[in-house]
């Protein structure tokens, strides 16, 4: 069965600012914002191939597009806007429109399923959480959306995997160091640990 996808018109965010968003809602699915398994695998393949992501966090809205443009001009092909950046979703939507298919655009600092839904509506191709948030991971898993949760302990890494996270973000990555990652990866080889 083929799924139909449509782009949405203007949509208001919870902060009352409007942005041109992307709708990935499937007309033949009972879940909103559903992604195909091909899309899911494509996102994972790009992470595996490229292996570097520019993470943007700016104090002002004006600084955001300048900083992200510099990162992309510098060669980054995967970028993450964080919800702590003012007007994050508007900027994410603008960059997704401008760089669609050339740069993979995602959203981070996601703490609730509503945050994830808003990010997907803005055009995010993947979701990043700063901590292990099971309801966000499960919301994404049900919709074939790649979710990469932040984890600090081996227990959190395993729980993120069990909840459906295909990649587990070790955050902050500097805390454990390469020896820690090697030891945990040896004991738990099914994990896909990404230190940040």
């Amino acid at each position: 069965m083929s799924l139909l996808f449509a782009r949405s018109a203007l949509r208001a965010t919870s902060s009352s600012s409007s942005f041109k968003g992307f709708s990935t809602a499937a007309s033949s699915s009972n879940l909103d914002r559903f992604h195909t398994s091909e899309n899911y695998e494509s996102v994972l393949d790009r992470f595996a191939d490229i292996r570097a992501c520019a993470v943007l966090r700016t104090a002002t809205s004006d600084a955001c597009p300048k900083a992200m443009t510099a990162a992309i001009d510098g060669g980054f092909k995967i970028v993450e806007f964080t919800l702590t950046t003012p007007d994050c979703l508007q900027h994410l939507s603008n960059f997704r429109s401008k760089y669609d298919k050339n740069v993979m655009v995602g959203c981070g600092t996601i703490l609730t399923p509503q945050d994830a839904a808003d990010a997907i509506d803005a055009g995010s191709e993947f979701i990043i959480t700063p901590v292990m948030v099971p309801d966000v991971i499960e919301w994404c898993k049900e919709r074939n959306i790649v979710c990469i949760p932040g984890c600090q302990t081996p227990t959190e890494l395993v729980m993120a995997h069990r909840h459906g996270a295909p990649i587990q973000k070790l955050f902050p990555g500097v805390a454990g160091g390469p020896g820690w990652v090697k030891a945990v990866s040896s004991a738990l080889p099914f994990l896909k640990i990404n230190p940040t």
Side-chain angles (χ1 to χ4, degrees), residues 91-113:
H91 295 302
L92 185 152
S93 182
N94 293 344
F95 273 77
R96 176 70 193 277
S97 294
K98 182 176 180 179
Y99 293 100
D100 195 27
K101 308 237 186 299
N102 295 317
V103 175
M104 190 165 67
V105 179
C107 193
T109 319
I110 302 291
L111 294 172
T112 68

Side-chain angles (χ1 to χ4, degrees), residues 26 41 43 51 55 67 69 83 94 123 136 139 144 161 165 169-170:
E41 292 301 323
V43 170
R51 304 179 63 94
V55 179
T69 297
L83 284 182
N94 293 344
V136 172
W139 185 91
N144 279 341
H161 172 77
K169 176 176 89 164
L170 178 61

Side-chain angles (χ1 to χ4, degrees), residues 28-154:
S28 56
S29 172
N30 63 353
L31 292 174
D32 59 340
R33 302 168 182 90
F34 185 82
H35 287 194
T36 65
S37 58
E38 292 82 13
N39 176 269
Y40 183 87
E41 292 301 323
S42 173
V43 170
L44 290 178
D45 289 346
R46 289 185 78 181
F47 269 111
D49 290 344
I50 296 170
R51 304 179 63 94
C53 176
V55 179
L56 180 73
R57 187 178 320 274
T58 62
T60 67
S61 179
D62 289 341
C64 178
K66 296 171 193 169
M68 191 56 86
T69 297
I72 292 169
D73 289 349
F76 281 95
K77 296 294 184 189
I78 302 175
V79 298
E80 173 192 338
F81 289 85
T82 59
L83 284 182
T84 54
T85 298
D87 303 317
C88 165
L89 298 179
Q90 177 64 53
H91 295 302
L92 185 152
S93 182
N94 293 344
F95 273 77
R96 176 70 193 277
S97 294
K98 182 176 180 179
Y99 293 100
D100 195 27
K101 308 237 186 299
N102 295 317
V103 175
M104 190 165 67
V105 179
C107 193
T109 319
I110 302 291
L111 294 172
T112 68
Q114 187 60 56
D115 288 346
D118 292 344
I120 295 300
D121 288 347
S124 183
E125 297 176 83
F126 58 90
I127 297 297
I128 307 285
T129 67
V131 294
M132 212 277 287
V133 187
D135 56 342
V136 172
I137 300 167
E138 291 166 3
W139 185 91
C140 289
K141 180 182 176 186
E142 291 170 353
R143 290 160 179 81
N144 279 341
I145 298 167
V146 172
C147 179
I148 304 171
C151 305
Q152 182 57 64
T153 67

